[in-house]
Amino acid sequence: MAEQRSVEDSKVETVRLVRPNHLNAAGRLFGGILMQWLDETAGLVAMRHTRMNVITASVDNLRFIHGAYNGEMVVIVGKVTYVGNTSMEVRVDTYVENEKDGLRRPINRAYFTMVAIDENDRPARVPRLFLQGEEEKAEWDAAEKRREMRIKRKEEGF
Ligand SMILES: CCCCCCCCCCCCCCCC(=O)SCCNC(=O)CCNC(=O)[C@H](O)C(C)(C)COP(=O)(O)OP(=O)(O)OC[C@H]1O[C@@H](n2cnc3c(N)ncnc32)[C@H](O)[C@@H]1OP(=O)(O)O
């Protein structure tokens, strides 16, 4: 049977503290800094799923919902939602966690397409994804639609 891993096997949760050097001129967490953190998280998820080197092929649906500010705790959660032949979709959700009560406020969601690469830097086959529960199956179905849109965009030169 082909190698397979569950969503939980590669899920990553990281916590960052927003510091003054992360802020833009308007006093919010700079979007580019957040994107770097998201990319690293997606990369770690993909590396854990494949146990190979990975690269970012595309990022879409990157949605800045709210800002984050100096001293806030930013929690980034990444998980695989779909696997193709050599690529995977990784959903990355970002929250600000209240230090007092632990409540999380969503501030960002993004979908990364990560590609596994072999020692010659060529795309390599990734392990299958073992889905558990209705939520993971629904994520997979939605990811298939996003994949179709990406293929269409690529064909049309975007
Ligand atoms: C001690 C331990 C230390 C550990 C330490 C940890 C460090 C902390 C971790 C950080 C982890 C790094 C994470 C950062 C990773 C980067 O920053 S990578 C740098 C930025 N990215 C790049 O340079 C990628 C450049 N692009 C490329 O090389 C090529 O376009 C690609 C992505 C390989 C695709 O090449 P291609 O010729 O189109 O290949 P092709 O076989 O047609 O497609 C391969 C797959 O990609 C998909 N694809 C191709 N183009 C696209 C697209 N535009 N959109 C979506 N999917 C696409 C295809 O659909 C296909 O998927 P499958 O059907 O096989 O599933």
Side-chain angles (χ1 to χ4, degrees):
M1 196 167 81
E3 194 183 3
Q4 60 173 4
R5 298 209 168 89
S6 71
V7 174
E8 282 300 316
D9 285 339
S10 58
K11 189 174 172 183
V12 168
E13 179 169 321
T14 67
V15 183
R16 304 272 186 157
L17 182 68
V18 181
R19 295 177 185 277
N21 60 312
H22 299 140
L23 303 181
N24 65 18
R28 291 162 178 256
L29 172 61
F30 188 54
I33 299 272
L34 178 61
M35 282 158 67
Q36 180 181 340
W37 293 349
L38 305 185
D39 195 25
E40 280 174 12
T41 304
L44 289 168
V45 171
M47 284 169 74
R48 292 181 92 188
H49 182 74
T50 60
R51 300 289 164 192
M52 285 187 263
N53 287 329
V54 296
I55 49 174
T56 309
S58 71
V59 187
D60 49 18
N61 297 68
L62 181 68
R63 209 153 62 86
F64 292 93
I65 305 160
H66 292 290
Y69 300 87
N70 191 32
E72 288 189 321
M73 204 181 346
V74 170
V75 180
I76 304 169
V77 182
K79 58 183 182 179
V80 181
T81 50
Y82 175 89
V83 298
N85 293 317
T86 65
S87 69
M88 294 129 292
E89 185 189 78
V90 179
R91 171 175 154 177
V92 184
D93 287 295
T94 309
Y95 308 87
V96 166
E97 184 173 304
N98 185 297
E99 71 211 47
K100 302 264 185 332
D101 57 18
L103 283 180
R104 291 179 175 185
R105 179 168 59 106
I107 63 161
N108 192 285
R109 176 171 295 170
Y111 292 93
F112 285 72
T113 301
M114 310 300 294
V115 177
I117 48 169
D118 64 17
E119 54 286 359
N120 301 311
D121 264 4
R122 289 302 310 154
R125 198 164 170 78
V126 300
R128 304 294 82 207
L129 187 64
F130 173 58
L131 297 173
Q132 293 166 300
E134 289 310 310
E135 201 180 319
E136 289 182 8
K137 290 187 184 117
E139 281 279 18
W140 176 281
D141 291 343
E144 272 186 328
K145 292 190 187 128
R146 286 188 292 272
R147 178 181 162 94
E148 280 164 26
M149 283 192 272
R150 279 180 210 116
I151 290 170
K152 193 160 191 300
R153 275 205 311 257
K154 196 177 175 192
E155 282 168 3
E156 290 176 1
F158 288 108

